[in-house]
Amino acid sequence: MLSKRIIPCLDIKDGRTVKGINFVNLRDAGDPVELATQYALEQADELVFLDISATEQKRKTLADLVLKVAAAIDIPFTVGGGIRSVEDVSILLKNGADKVSINSAAVKNPSLINKLSEQFGSQCIVVAIDAKQIDGQWKVHLVGGKVPTELDLFDWAKEVEQRGAGEILFTSMDHDGTKQGFANNALARLSTEVNIPIIASGGAGTVPHFIDTFTKGKADAALAASVFHFGEISIPELKKQLNQQQLAVRIDEL
Amino acid sequence: MLAIIDYGAGNTKSLQFALERLGVNSLLTSDADQINSADKVIFPGQGAAGSAMQKLKHFGLDQLISKLQQPVLGICLGMQLFCEHTEEGDVQGLGIVKKTVKRFSTEVKVPQMGWNSIHNLKGELFEGITDGAYMYLVHSYFVPNSTETVANANYDGSYSVALQKDNFYGVQFHPEKSSKAGSRLLQNFLAL
């Protein structure tokens, strides 16, 4: 049976992890490769690297990092943050990234999704959508949720599917950082309106939040950062509890 | 020498790294002589079937692969192209296995993306791998079960996640991305 995926997200700036990381057994908490290796050992199912640096060397630094991560870990990973062109994607995939995630560039230039999926295949194109509710309507936001657009979340999700996205990473800005649980109503509606996998993001605080997002929210995967980085939730323990709820999770026995 | 067929399709870097972690150097090549003389051959693949077959023809490799005598491992689209035909773009494959590759129905999310458990494991490729082990898969088309099936998984019903026909081995999952179980499978292939 296809399992539910647990995905830690690492924010990267100038080739280093940025969010405060308080991880046991790490020599250098700022080293993304060491952190990724640790997560792979703890049976994270996938990793997301989100590059938030804004330097001119950004592209090269990120491409170098991707190569190092690919050499070190044996689970899939996605890279996102400021990806704008076919060339950007080409170098990241060539260096060993399994998927890339595009966000603002897709909103500004939706045909980019078509171009990327035609050239590289839908399976490696993730469209990240940040949204929050304005007067009861879910509106897509840009620049890490700072800039509102007129786009409706569900309309946009259907459009990105039609244009060839292989997966949607949906972050609720209303829930992100609250540790009060994921946006399960919106997630469940997304899963009924589109037929590609949905990653839930924003709001993870406790193990029951993950259980709810997989059951009530119908999510295919759940992404979180600080609860994992600070060791508030351990991935093996999380998986054990999901398993007790009859949710399919990968627990490595080999 | 282990040859990985290079025809511009897919993420070969991760595969090379996975082999390096097992202490094996591989040669990424589209040269017919090098492929013919390799002890083992890996045929990777990702993306659309039609453009992959075009690229194989462009490099003159479409005729060569089915004639290889050494162990050949097809991964993901590589395994699908072992088949006679695929619904994806109505494309003719290499015809090693007489099956048609089909698309998952709309009853399930497409692509299937993530870790699925594999069952009814047969043969040396799965030596030391437990029934129910999880492997990482990303695909929209699948190979139906047949006499060549050596492992299956459930998604929209039971289907073939691994095939074997003579010296041709195919896996739908990505062993290079499937943690310890995937690494063991690659090791088993190397030991053939």
Side-chain angles (χ1 to χ4, degrees), chain A residues 39-186:
Chain A
Y39 277 130
L41 283 173
E42 295 198 349
Q43 295 190 32
D45 296 305
E46 211 173 298
L47 298 173
V48 169
F49 294 87
L50 189 61
D51 189 17
I52 56 168
S53 45
T55 57
E56 283 177 27
Q57 302 81 29
K58 171 178 174 142
R59 278 194 178 80
K60 193 180 177 308
T61 313
L62 184 61
D64 290 347
L65 174 65
V66 166
L67 196 62
K68 283 184 211 151
V69 171
I73 67 171
D74 55 8
I75 59 168
F77 66 99
T78 302
V79 180
I83 293 171
R84 288 188 189 85
S85 66
V86 170
E87 295 73 50
D88 289 347
V89 172
S90 180
I91 182 79
L92 296 171
L93 295 178
K94 204 179 270 177
N95 279 10
D98 297 280
K99 300 185 258 185
V100 292
S101 134
I102 51 172
N103 190 335
S104 302
V107 173
K108 288 175 193 153
N109 173 19
S111 68
L112 179 64
I113 305 169
N114 303 67
K115 273 189 213 152
L116 294 175
S117 65
E118 278 157 26
Q119 181 141 356
F120 305 106
S122 287
Q123 82 287 337
C124 59
I125 308 303
V126 183
V127 174
I129 307 177
D130 297 338
K132 65 176 154 192
Q133 292 180 89
I134 295 174
D135 301 327
Q137 300 287 312
W138 282 96
K139 293 291 181 189
V140 176
H141 283 61
L142 301 181
V143 202
K146 291 189 206 101
V147 179
T149 72
E150 283 303 306
L151 275 177
D152 173 78
L153 164 66
F154 303 99
D155 292 343
W156 178 233
K158 278 181 265 190
E159 183 175 343
V160 306
E161 178 185 28
Q162 275 162 12
R163 287 180 179 276
E167 189 167 47
I168 290 172
L169 165 54
F170 164 53
T171 302
S172 163
M173 307 311 300
D174 292 335
H175 296 72
D176 199 30
T178 65
K179 298 197 175 184
Q180 297 295 310
F182 294 90
N184 294 324
N185 290 337

